[in-house]
């Protein structure tokens, strides 16, 4: 949408769906970034207990930086989502014939697949968090230490993120069938309420993870 700002806008269903897929792409990028941050945190803990101070400090700052970037990317995605939707809404109305173009149904399928990929990313990310709790438990046994914070809650956080991933599949199916019905009716608009609620849930989950998991020690 950024490159098309100099062009006149139209309330085309394919443009709406393109913005939706971009929004989900921001969320996936955020999850990948946070997963990498958790991996760096694991390496930082190993470096710390093996007395590799310089590597430990570098990995610690890298993990914190990535966690902040990952969480911020959700806010960036929300900002661009609302900005682009507002830009599209200011455009001309397309005819009902154009809304029932077969390519729009294919765009709806691609949007549904974007929901599925986001759901898979969430489920995998939930398992990463859950395994992080097991990793900390093993560190305590091997090095005979005890962390200052109770890391047993990580299992609950991981299970919650997995649950959000499963709910994402349901929301994706609901959005797909809803999109097809609106296209059949010749009038398509993005379900902003759905994306607003979904973005808020993902942001809160990532925010909790940033402040709890990555500063567990």
């Amino acid at each position: 949408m950024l490159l098309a700002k100099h062009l006149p806008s139209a309330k085309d269903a394919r443009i709406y769906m393109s913005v939706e897929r971009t929004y989900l792409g921001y969320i996936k990028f955020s999850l990948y970034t946070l997963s990498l941050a958790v991996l760096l945190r694991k390496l930082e803990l190993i470096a710390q207990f093996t007395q590799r101070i310089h590597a430990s400090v570098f990995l610690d700052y890298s993990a914190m930086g990535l966690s902040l970037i990952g969480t911020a990317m959700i806010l960036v995605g929300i900002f661009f989502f609302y900005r682009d939707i507002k830009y599209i809404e200011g455009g001309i109305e397309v005819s009902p014939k154009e809304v029932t173009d077969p390519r729009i149904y294919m765009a709806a399928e691609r949007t549904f697949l974007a929901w599925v990929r986001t759901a898979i990313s969430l489920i995998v990310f939930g398992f990463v968090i859950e395994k992080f709790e097991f990793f900390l438990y093993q560190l305590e046994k091997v090095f005979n230490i005890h962390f200052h914070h109770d890391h047993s809650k990580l299992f609950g956080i991981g299970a919650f993120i997995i649950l959000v991933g499963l709910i994402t599949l349901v929301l994706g199916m609901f959005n797909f069938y809803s999109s097809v019905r609106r296209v059949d009716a010749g009038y398509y608009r993005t379900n902003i309420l759905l994306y607003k609620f979904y973005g808020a849930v993902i942001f809160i989950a990532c925010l909790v993870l940033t402040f709890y998991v990555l500063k567990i020690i």
Side-chain angles (χ1 to χ4, degrees):
M1 291 300 299
L2 202 59
L3 297 177
K5 288 297 182 183
H6 63 284
L7 299 176
S9 177
K11 299 177 183 179
D12 191 313
R14 285 175 293 178
I15 302 178
Y16 280 110
M17 294 178 188
S18 176
V19 172
E20 295 169 15
R21 291 194 298 272
T22 302
Y23 177 66
L24 294 173
Y26 275 104
I27 292 178
K28 283 183 289 183
F29 178 80
S30 174
L31 296 173
Y32 296 151
T33 305
L34 286 169
S35 297
L36 180 57
V38 172
L39 174 61
L40 292 180
R41 173 60 73 184
K42 288 183 178 181
L43 296 176
E44 187 269 330
L45 290 173
I46 295 175
Q48 179 181 344
F49 294 122
T50 54
Q51 302 299 317
R52 299 186 179 183
I53 305 300
H54 294 294
S56 174
V57 172
F58 172 76
L59 292 170
D60 179 43
Y61 283 112
S62 298
M64 286 303 301
L66 285 175
S67 66
L68 293 174
I69 291 173
T71 305
M73 285 305 297
I74 298 179
L75 293 178
V76 172
I78 293 173
F79 169 77
F80 282 114
F81 173 74
Y82 280 107
R83 189 202 64 175
D84 291 343
I85 290 295
K86 183 178 179 181
Y87 178 70
I88 297 172
E89 285 295 315
I92 60 173
E93 189 78 46
V94 298
S95 66
K97 182 178 179 181
E98 291 184 46
V99 178
T100 55
D101 190 315
R103 290 173 294 179
I104 298 179
Y105 292 96
M106 298 175 189
E109 294 171 4
R110 291 195 296 272
T111 303
F112 172 65
L113 291 177
W115 277 96
V116 172
R117 289 192 294 269
T118 304
I120 293 174
S121 300
L122 279 164
I123 293 172
V124 171
F125 185 50
F127 278 112
V128 168
I129 300 305
E130 190 178 342
K131 293 300 181 182
F132 188 51
E133 189 270 338
F134 178 74
F135 172 77
L136 294 175
Y137 174 74
Q138 293 298 318
L139 280 183
E140 289 181 333
K141 289 182 60 177
V142 171
F143 293 98
N144 193 24
I145 60 169
H146 182 72
F147 292 105
H148 299 298
H149 298 278
D150 181 18
H151 57 75
S152 60
K153 295 180 181 179
L154 288 176
F155 177 82
I157 295 176
F160 172 74
I161 294 176
I162 293 173
L163 178 62
V164 173
L166 295 175
I167 293 175
T168 298
L169 283 175
V170 176
L171 291 177
M173 287 188 291
F174 166 79
N175 185 70
F176 173 70
Y177 286 110
S178 176
S179 298
V180 170
R181 285 197 301 269
R182 280 175 284 168
V183 170
D184 288 339
Y187 181 85
Y188 183 86
R189 291 293 184 273
T190 294
N191 190 341
I192 297 179
L193 181 62
L194 171 65
Y195 285 93
K196 182 189 297 185
F197 169 77
Y198 184 71
V201 171
I202 298 297
F203 176 72
I204 291 173
C206 291
L207 195 63
V208 170
L209 183 68
T210 299
F211 284 101
Y212 182 79
V213 177
L214 296 180
K215 295 301 293 183
I216 191 70
I217 60 173

